[in-house]
Amino acid sequence: MGNKIKFNICNVHYAPITIGTDGTVTFATPVAMPGAVSLSLDPNGEPESFYADGIEYYTINNNMGYDGDLELAMIPESFRTDILKETADSNKVLVEDANSETGAFALLFEFDGDVKKIRHVLYNCSASRPKIESKTNEESREVQTETLSVKARPLASGYVKAKTGDSTTDATYNDWYKAVYMPAMTVASASASSSSSTSASSKSSS
């Protein structure tokens, strides 16, 4: 992987994932993550070539998502309990438990300064616990941030990421942070289903 490029971000939200016994993925309502500073991502997975008859026969696109860092002024307590699975005791002290598995989540955001204000979602993310860092500088005060290492991987359906485009409907754009957007049926499949339902209704009437 090359050097990651940092992008300043805003409107960052996370949506915890629940996986049912049948493998169905459900997203909770997105929760705001105030204080997000930057996101840096590198694609994970390189194209793989298949050779036959001494030539490159075809190339397999091996999309394994993204690896990167999410930098925040401070990780919200809700993220620590929802995703990092820290627990608050009776005195409201956050406790880390080695036996707790961290949770999966969708990450929603837009890039600060993006003229088109394109909105993004990474569907299936995991985050490792941040480093504990502190710095003392007597001459000048420097804000210390917290960084989460984030891995974005494909859902079982194959979906990795989605973003708004030039022709995205206003309703979809405006509701981006209210619920995790899942792709709608393609026009072809929608028309096929409507034609089959039409033929079925015509049969029932005949």
Side-chain angles (χ1 to χ4, degrees):
M1 291 197 297
N3 294 325
K4 298 186 185 78
I5 300 173
K6 277 189 178 183
F7 294 95
N8 292 334
I9 51 176
C10 59
N11 280 337
V12 178
H13 291 66
Y14 71 92
I17 290 174
T18 302
I19 301 177
T21 53
D22 61 350
T24 304
V25 173
T26 306
F27 297 93
T29 303
V31 180
M33 287 185 83
V37 177
S38 68
L39 179 68
S40 53
L41 292 173
D42 260 351
N44 184 314
E46 299 295 328
E48 296 177 4
S49 298
F50 175 77
Y51 290 87
D53 298 329
I55 60 169
E56 187 176 2
Y57 208 66
Y58 60 82
T59 301
I60 302 167
N61 180 24
N62 184 23
N63 184 342
M64 291 304 295
Y66 299 86
D67 289 347
D69 297 312
L70 175 61
E71 183 184 6
L72 302 111
M74 183 178 287
I75 298 165
E77 191 170 309
S78 62
F79 188 88
R80 287 186 174 278
T81 54
D82 291 346
I83 305 300
L84 300 181
K85 301 301 182 182
E86 296 179 12
T87 54
D89 70 3
S90 57
N91 295 314
K92 302 302 179 187
V93 172
L94 291 179
V95 180
E96 232 178 77
D97 187 338
N99 297 317
S100 297
E101 293 279 338
T102 57
F105 61 98
L107 185 67
L108 304 91
F109 59 91
E110 57 194 83
F111 294 115
D112 194 20
D114 179 3
V115 176
K116 293 188 176 181
K117 293 292 181 188
I118 295 169
R119 293 180 167 175
H120 305 254
V121 57
L122 291 166
Y123 283 114
N124 184 22
C125 298
S126 61
S128 60
R129 292 178 179 83
K131 293 177 185 174
I132 299 172
E133 294 179 308
S134 180
K135 186 190 292 184
T136 302
N137 189 331
E138 294 180 6
E139 292 185 14
S140 63
R141 292 186 178 182
E142 187 176 335
V143 175
Q144 292 302 296
T145 57
E146 295 184 304
T147 301
L148 292 165
S149 292
V150 174
K151 294 182 185 297
R153 295 293 178 262
L155 290 170
S157 62
Y159 296 140
V160 175
K161 183 180 181 297
K163 65 179 182 178
T164 58
D166 291 342
S167 303
T168 297
T169 63
D170 289 345
T172 299
Y173 184 89
N174 294 334
D175 290 346
W176 195 256
Y177 299 113
K178 293 179 183 176
V180 173
Y181 177 81
M182 290 303 287
M185 287 192 305
T186 60
V187 175
S189 62
S191 60
S193 62
S194 63
S195 63
S196 62
S197 62
T198 305
S199 60
S201 61
S202 62
K203 284 178 183 175
S204 60
S205 61
S206 56

